[in-house]
Amino acid sequence: MRKFSAFAIAREALRGHKGWGVQWASPEPRSEYDVIIIGAGGHGLATAYYLAKEHGITNVAVLEKGWLGGGNTGRNTTIIRSNYLYDESAGIYDHALKLWDGLSQDLNYNVMYSARGVMMLAHNVHDVQVLQRHIHANRLNGVDNEWLTPEQAKDYCPPLNISGQTRYPVIGATLQRRGGTARHDAVAWGYARAASDRGVHIIQNCEVTGTRRAPQGHIIGVDTSKGFIGAKKVGVVAAGHTSVLMEMADVRMPLESYPLQAMVSEPVKPVFPCVVMSNTVHAYISQSDKGELVIGAGTDQYTSYSQAGGLHIINHTVDAICEMFPMFRRMKMLRSWGGIVDVTPDRSPILAKTPVQGLYVNCGWGTGGFKATPGSGHVFAHTIARDEPHRINAPFTLERFRTGRLIDEAAAAAVAH
Ligand SMILES: Cc1cc2nc3c(=O)[nH]c(=O)nc-3n(C[C@H](O)[C@H](O)[C@H](O)COP(=O)(O)OP(=O)(O)OC[C@H]3O[C@@H](n4cnc5c(N)ncnc54)[C@H](O)[C@@H]3O)c2cc1C
């Protein structure tokens, strides 16, 4: 694989960029692999990459029913932060945040991680109490997070309306300075390229339609639209379709799948310096490097597999954005879309072994898994390679929904994003 460097870019510029070649191979599937990963989103591709890089397991295939990164990885609003309430969450999200810093160098691919700061707004007394509790908990875990007055929040983000003359007055905010955004497609492409370079097979347009088990119960492979493919181990990393796939192996998952929407505006010059989230009104905003305002909404109230959500949800979001940032009132929205997010009862992920030997699952990231991509792939690869969880993902079991040992970020924040 050609390495990206200043020298290579200059040389290619002089010869019309004809020498780059393909970024990842598209091989025909082998009859058997040591590990099959189902789902070529960021988490699946990262898992394959770390299996090869950290554990020397390269006889790996990533099977994708559509195109690489075409699921939630390519549909999200790219907010990255690690200021979650509980120790377990801080552990996994901060592990990811540390990997984001340096990921472009590790992959030799610019994932455009930009630590521009994530601000979370408080609009009422409850918000203030919840957010300040987060700050204290984060500091105990060594995670940066600080409190801002409305004036300090406006200093950090000048378009913010702090006049108080709105339905959602801003009465304070938290700021995680290491939080920010990354380019979602580049994350999928960078992991795919680096994994392929180490021998991993990435097989697109290959839908998994069934799983096969030996009479003793352990996994022996998967049925796909390209035929049966054998495997010693299978990792399911299929976001909104996880419960469908796990049902094929007779494992019932505590998951519900909801559409979640986002939209972008027409592109404008740099005007918005950070990421602003408001959990109370379910509106999130940042500006992409192309200049578009990237705006995220809340989930629909009904479960569904349609990759488009209700119009009233985005209307409500745009209402709130216009009140908080009146200067955007005359902006035109370019397009909106949806993704199917897999939500657990406690809004925390499941990264674990399953009751079926050789079958592993990484799911339940709901509305907020993009930020975890490097950390999730890293510890899930460990879990598959060693057949035991990494200490960071050890609490994120399937059994916790039976034992009651929940990691209840839903109760902590009312929303996880
Ligand atoms: C609108 C929106 C906004 C979001 N905003 C944020 C945000 O700001 N910050 C954040 O941290 N998170 C956010 N998220 C959540 C985040 O996108 C996801 O948690 C994360 O991308 C999940 O990655 P993944 O690799 O697990 O799943 P995906 O990228 O969805 O990959 C799963 C893949 O599995 C494939 N698949 C499914 N079934 C099969 C099958 N039978 N056979 C083969 N392949 C199959 C799918 O085609 C898909 O490509 C958002 C999500 C949405 C939808």
Side-chain angles (χ1 to χ4, degrees):
M1 191 72 62
R2 292 283 309 280
K3 228 174 129 49
F4 289 112
S5 66
F7 176 69
I9 289 169
R11 192 177 53 192
E12 286 306 322
L14 293 175
R15 54 177 194 173
H17 292 284
K18 295 202 176 98
W20 289 117
V22 293
Q23 295 296 301
W24 52 83
S26 297
E28 283 305 309
R30 288 187 194 128
S31 57
E32 198 188 12
Y33 291 91
D34 289 338
V35 180
I36 283 179
I37 301 293
I38 306 176
H43 290 240
L45 292 163
T47 305
Y49 170 68
Y50 292 116
L51 273 171
K53 182 186 170 211
E54 308 253 315
H55 305 280
I57 303 175
T58 55
N59 186 21
V60 176
V62 184
L63 307 183
E64 168 55 51
K65 73 173 175 179
W67 67 95
L68 182 164
N72 292 347
T73 298
R75 295 164 185 271
N76 77 91
T77 48
T78 78
I79 297 171
I80 295 173
R81 62 185 180 90
S82 65
N83 52 352
Y84 284 71
L85 183 67
Y86 290 107
D87 298 351
E88 297 88 340
S89 318
I92 194 157
Y93 289 106
D94 213 52
H95 180 53
L97 195 45
K98 287 177 184 139
L99 288 172
W100 279 113
D101 197 12
L103 190 61
S104 296
Q105 288 72 21
D106 184 23
L107 299 179
N108 181 232
Y109 203 89
N110 188 0
V111 300
M112 296 165 77
Y113 165 56
S114 156
R116 58 185 70 178
V118 171
M119 211 155 77
M120 301 174 87
L121 302 180
H123 303 284
N124 52 47
V125 174
H126 175 75
D127 284 352
V128 173
Q129 289 168 343
V130 167
L131 290 179
Q132 293 201 344
R133 186 177 170 214
H134 275 72
I135 291 177
H136 298 313
N138 292 157
R139 286 189 177 164
L140 287 173
N141 277 314
V143 174
D144 65 308
N145 201 6
E146 61 197 86
W147 181 253
L148 302 183
T149 62
E151 293 71 26
Q152 289 169 325
K154 188 163 176 70
D155 269 356
Y156 199 78
C157 182
L160 183 63
N161 178 7
I162 57 164
S163 69
Q165 308 302 313
T166 57
R167 276 181 299 166
Y168 315 109
V170 176
I171 60 174
T174 62
L175 174 65
Q176 185 177 27
R177 292 180 191 267
R178 287 187 305 146
T181 58
R183 175 75 201 274
H184 47 9
D185 296 325
V187 174
W189 299 335
Y191 273 121
R193 178 174 174 273
S196 171
D197 200 26
R198 287 172 187 265
V200 169
H201 281 188
I202 296 163
I203 302 168
Q204 302 181 72
N205 297 312
C206 181
E207 179 168 6
V208 173
T209 52
T211 53
R212 283 202 212 167
R213 294 164 62 177
Q216 301 86 333
H218 63 269
I219 205 90
I220 54 167
V222 294
D223 290 302
T224 77
S225 51
K226 291 182 190 271
F228 173 75
I229 308 177
K232 297 188 181 79
K233 295 179 176 181
V234 173
V236 176
V237 199
H241 291 87
T242 303
S243 47
V244 179
L245 278 153
M246 294 298 286
E247 204 162 303
M248 295 173 190
D250 300 323
V251 181
R252 194 156 166 248
M253 297 297 290
L255 288 172
E256 288 182 330
S257 294
Y258 293 90
L260 177 70
Q261 295 179 81
M263 65 200 125
V264 289
S265 72
E266 58 188 335
V268 288
K269 287 190 174 166
V271 64
F272 204 79
C274 58
V275 180
V276 174
M277 310 177 59
S278 168
N279 283 353
T280 298
V281 292
H282 280 206
Y284 318 95
I285 180 165
S286 64
Q287 187 171 20
S288 75
D289 293 302
K290 282 190 284 181
E292 300 160 335
L293 297 178
V294 181
I295 298 173
T299 54
D300 276 17
Q301 275 135 17
Y302 299 95
T303 53
S304 156
Y305 285 105
S306 81
Q307 281 184 328
L311 182 63
H312 65 286
I313 303 271
I314 51 173
N315 280 347
H316 167 79
T317 301
V318 170
D319 267 0
I321 292 291
C322 289
E323 283 206 1
M324 291 189 291
F325 308 99
M327 67 187 275
F328 295 144
R329 278 194 180 142
R330 292 167 66 193
M331 295 277 293
K332 295 189 180 70
M333 290 298 129
L334 270 194
R335 58 183 185 278
S336 70
W337 63 89
I340 310 300
V341 298
D342 45 330
V343 176
T344 60
D346 64 359
R347 303 299 190 273
S348 288
I350 301 166
L351 286 117
K353 294 169 68 168
T354 71
V356 178
Q357 200 194 326
L359 182 66
Y360 307 81
V361 69
N362 178 346
C363 67
W365 292 100
T367 61
F370 176 72
K371 62 178 72 65
T373 304
S376 154
H378 190 251
V379 297
F380 196 50
H382 175 110
T383 308
I384 294 175
R386 308 228 178 144
D387 196 34
E388 64 181 23
H390 189 283
R391 92 188 138 69
I392 290 177
N393 67 308
F396 296 94
T397 61
L398 194 48
E399 285 74 38
R400 74 180 188 270
F401 299 101
R402 217 177 3 242
T403 62
R405 200 177 173 80
L406 302 179
I407 305 160
D408 207 341
E409 292 292 340
V415 64
H417 203 51

